[in-house]
Amino acid sequence: MIELDDRTRAIQRQARAWAQELKPLALELDQDPDAIHRHLDVAIVSYLTRMTVPPEFNPDPVVIDGRPFYGTGTLERVVFAEEVAVGDAGMLLAAPGPVMSGVLVDAMGDEQQKKWFYSRIMEKPTWTFFALTEPDRGSDAGAMNTTLTPDGDDHFVLRGAKRYIGNAARADLGIVFARTRPGPLGVTAVLTETSAAGFTAEPLETIGLRGLRITAVTLDDVRVPAGQVLGRHLRATQRGMWSAVQGLNRLRPGVAAFGLGIARAAYEYVLANRRTLNTAERHRLDRLGLRLTELRQLIWRSAIAVDDNDPAAGSLASAAKARASRLAEEATLEALGCFGPGARLDHPLLDKLARDARGVEFMEGTGNIQKLNLFTGLVQGHLRRD
């Protein structure tokens, strides 16, 4: 049984308190994703604007119980994410900040690139995006069609399209994955500004996680300076597919925590709003509570493995994400079932949770991709069967 230390329990308590501010705003953001602009002064949103900015670039961290917090540790992030998602996962995903792009910049950026990126983040509330998925290729980075080709000595040109990209329509900058040549070593990540000529982002209509403002991106001869290609100082084997896989491994425990938070929100909604439960309903709810605890332990284990650079980290992260997306869907449907046939109309917050839960399945790879990663980890001996 994994137990949190005093420091991590402190951020857990603070996130739980902050999340109470989000619940009254959840349905407003669901109806109008641009409502995030009206809530930038909410305490937790303010923290998210600079969460994951490393200490050397963040002179103003959040201080809790006398300790500064930067959100740079994976365990710290997943504990935080679960609590915030109980309040509202949509607000968590809609908030400005470096989150996904920041994780990759931290792993692959040189000092000049980090300084440029984080100075932009600290200047004002800044949205970022992370563009990997393509219309015809899904999350299969090895099969992507978007290209990055040289254009003179100092620039490259991006051509292609990305789809299902969160926040791209409201972002100032972000990361685009593209191909410089065939093969896994030809995949490259590049910092891109949305103000560049040829960059367009069109929001897509979705029924869940609407605050994320999922977007289709078109890259029509977008010029980027050579200095914005990430991983220039790294070996070729550490730039392309390796960078994509490492970045996703570090992010997946957090996505699993979103799913856990949504499932817990549904569970707690039933406890708060059903005064009496029959024996069968009580049994099902008790079983759901145990499943939440089991999943939390798996997510924490995967986060610790990421922080320790454990070879099993990728497989554990995939297992956590696959189980979390499934539990989120099952828990929200179970909760709706406790309120009868008209539950979606009579309990709009539960209806929103059920729609958001379905969205978790498509974040950072679907369940089938996670199961394939888990199987590969078992075959390669990175993960023990016990």
Side-chain angles (χ1 to χ4, degrees):
M1 176 72 77
I2 300 170
E3 295 187 0
L4 301 179
D5 59 20
D6 289 344
R7 175 184 169 80
T8 313
R9 279 199 293 270
I11 190 67
Q12 183 185 45
R13 284 195 302 273
Q14 184 62 70
R16 189 171 297 169
W18 277 338
Q20 295 305 311
E21 297 181 74
L22 301 184
K23 288 185 178 179
L25 308 177
L27 291 177
E28 178 192 357
L29 185 70
D30 186 57
Q31 293 173 359
D32 176 17
D34 289 332
I36 183 64
H37 293 280
R38 298 193 287 272
H39 302 298
L40 295 179
D41 58 345
V42 172
I44 198 167
V45 176
S46 177
Y47 174 59
L48 287 166
T49 62
R50 56 191 189 281
M51 181 178 170
T52 75
V53 176
E56 59 269 35
F57 301 103
N58 184 0
D60 185 28
V62 167
V63 177
I64 304 168
D65 293 346
R67 303 181 177 97
F69 283 85
Y70 300 92
T72 51
T74 310
L75 179 61
E76 180 182 322
R77 284 203 303 274
V78 301
V79 169
F80 178 86
E82 177 193 341
E83 298 301 332
V84 180
V86 173
D88 181 33
M91 190 70 81
L92 172 64
L93 294 167
V99 185
M100 293 180 70
S101 295
V103 169
L104 206 64
V105 169
D106 186 47
M108 293 186 60
D110 59 29
E111 288 306 308
Q112 186 176 357
Q113 290 166 339
K114 290 180 182 179
K115 184 177 180 180
W116 178 83
F117 179 80
Y118 290 122
S119 65
R120 294 283 299 271
I121 295 295
M122 295 299 292
E123 185 178 277
K124 63 178 183 177
T126 300
W127 281 270
T128 60
F129 68 92
F130 183 94
L132 174 64
T133 302
E134 298 194 350
D136 299 324
R137 303 296 181 179
S139 299
D140 184 358
M144 71 173 59
N145 286 325
T146 298
T147 59
L148 181 72
T149 55
D151 185 31
D153 293 336
D154 299 326
H155 284 79
F156 286 82
V157 171
L158 277 170
R159 298 186 181 94
K162 300 290 181 178
R163 198 169 180 85
Y164 310 123
I165 311 304
N167 287 324
R170 52 168 67 122
D172 289 336
L173 66 160
I175 289 175
V176 174
F177 283 86
R179 179 176 295 288
T180 56
R181 61 183 186 278
L185 297 183
V187 176
T188 296
V190 57
L191 286 164
T192 307
E193 296 191 73
T194 58
S195 59
F199 185 104
T200 57
E202 186 70 24
L204 302 171
E205 279 299 319
T206 60
I207 61 170
L209 296 175
R210 285 170 46 77
L212 182 56
R213 208 47 155 166
I214 294 172
T215 307
V217 172
T218 302
L219 303 158
D220 185 10
D221 290 346
V222 177
R223 280 169 57 83
V224 294
Q228 292 183 189
V229 177
L230 292 170
R232 295 176 302 164
H233 61 302
L234 301 175
R235 297 195 303 272
T237 52
Q238 294 180 317
R239 298 175 196 159
M241 287 297 296
W242 182 89
S243 69
V245 170
Q246 294 303 309
L248 293 174
N249 286 348
R250 294 177 68 179
L251 292 166
R252 278 184 179 134
V255 176
F258 297 160
L260 173 60
I262 292 170
R264 199 181 114 199
Y267 170 76
E268 293 181 357
Y269 188 94
V270 176
L271 292 178
N273 293 280
R274 272 294 303 271
R275 294 185 178 180
T276 59
L277 295 166
N278 62 38
T279 302
E281 289 171 332
R282 170 57 63 186
H283 178 75
R284 289 200 299 270
L285 212 58
D286 289 346
R287 174 61 186 151
L288 178 57
L290 289 174
R291 292 179 68 191
L292 293 173
T293 300
E294 292 168 352
L295 174 59
R296 184 176 299 110
Q297 285 289 309
L298 176 58
I299 294 172
W300 288 1
R301 186 182 171 197
S302 70
I304 292 170
V306 171
D307 286 337
D308 291 345
N309 292 318
D310 187 326
S315 301
L316 288 168
S318 287
K321 197 276 178 177
R323 186 173 293 184
S325 58
R326 179 179 174 185
L327 181 57
E329 288 194 55
E330 293 179 354
T332 51
L333 294 177
E334 181 80 39
L336 284 167
C338 289
F339 293 96
R344 284 186 180 266
L345 294 176
D346 297 335
H347 300 270
L349 190 57
L350 261 188
D351 173 59
K352 176 188 179 301
L353 288 170
R355 288 186 281 110
D356 286 351
R358 185 58 182 153
V360 176
E361 164 68 7
F362 299 98
M363 296 175 68
E364 300 301 325
T366 62
N368 287 338
I369 291 174
Q370 308 308 332
K371 291 172 185 173
L372 182 61
N373 290 344
L374 184 57
F375 177 75
T376 302
L378 285 168
V379 170
Q380 294 178 341
H382 293 157
L383 193 66
R384 298 187 325 196
R385 292 179 182 275
D386 57 351

